[in-house]
Amino acid sequence: MPGNTLETALVWGTVYGGAVLVAAWLAMVIWAYRDMRARSRDLWTQVLVAVVVLLLNLPGLIIYIFLRPRETLAEAYERSLEEEALLQEIEAKPNCPGCGLRVDENWQACPNCHTRLKKPCINCGQMLQLAWDLCPHCATAQTTGAKNTQAHVSRRVRTQPAPQQDDYSYQVPTAGLEFLDE
């Protein structure tokens, strides 16, 4: 009888070991298929990977690991979003040359340091670079000291109003400010 118990234990051990190997084999096939689904949208490639791992077992899994794409589709998407966000951040808004604050491209002056950023055209009122002497919108020559003959109201750089009380002196910061003629 002791030999029969040993044979039964060997049979059960072999069945258990075989079941574990089959489960590991199926787990490798499923893992390879899911991993490839995360790395490629091509259905044929996903199925091919599962078949290679199914037929070749562990060597097929090793071959797949060597040949699989480096990044998942989600990682590639996140990387492209990061690159796009960085490019937008760089290109989105200019900085003030005086204080470095981000400014809008249509602002005439920086609200932080009052540095003049652009000037309005004397004819059409479109914002122009300070160095431009010709408006690209209406082709009007920009001359210094020229007054607008149309109903265009010139804009001044706004500063804080002086306080109403006379018990202390108040100075309006004017460094770097250029005012337009009224």
Side-chain angles (χ1 to χ4, degrees):
M1 229 34 200
N4 194 11
T5 311
L6 183 60
E7 286 178 21
T8 306
L10 281 174
V11 168
W12 280 109
T14 305
V15 168
Y16 177 74
V20 167
L21 287 176
V22 168
W25 177 54
L26 288 175
M28 284 189 294
V29 171
I30 293 170
W31 179 85
Y33 176 74
R34 285 183 177 174
D35 188 65
M36 193 59 190
R37 273 186 51 197
R39 296 175 190 277
S40 173
R41 290 191 179 117
D42 185 19
L43 180 64
W44 293 109
T45 306
Q46 296 167 9
V47 172
L48 179 67
V49 164
V51 169
V52 166
V53 175
L54 182 70
L55 296 178
L56 300 179
N57 201 352
L58 189 58
L61 182 66
I62 293 171
I63 291 169
Y64 167 68
I65 289 174
F66 285 147
L67 298 178
R68 73 182 182 167
R70 290 182 183 216
E71 61 186 3
T72 64
L73 295 173
E75 292 169 345
Y77 180 69
E78 287 175 13
R79 182 178 43 80
S80 69
L81 284 180
E82 288 174 8
E83 290 172 359
E84 192 173 317
L86 287 174
L87 287 175
Q88 277 185 344
E89 191 174 305
I90 290 171
E91 297 173 358
K93 288 188 177 181
N95 292 335
C96 171
C99 65
L101 180 76
R102 296 243 172 179
V103 293
D104 191 79
E105 27 182 274
N106 293 324
W107 287 357
Q108 187 173 355
C110 174
N112 187 41
C113 70
H114 303 219
T115 300
R116 187 159 183 200
L117 303 170
K118 293 192 176 185
K119 64 183 178 183
C121 172
I122 60 174
N123 184 39
C124 68
Q126 292 284 336
M127 286 295 151
L128 308 175
Q129 299 292 328
L130 293 175
W132 292 355
D133 58 354
L134 180 75
C135 177
H137 305 285
C138 66
T140 302
Q142 307 295 308
T143 58
T144 57
K147 296 193 181 212
N148 191 356
T149 58
Q150 296 181 355
H152 172 71
V153 178
S154 65
R155 299 178 197 147
R156 284 191 172 261
V157 175
R158 305 274 184 225
T159 58
Q160 295 177 344
Q164 300 297 324
Q165 300 172 349
D166 292 334
D167 57 328
Y168 60 91
S169 64
Y170 179 80
Q171 294 179 353
V172 176
T174 59
L177 293 177
E178 297 175 317
F179 292 104
L180 298 174
D181 295 332
E182 287 189 43

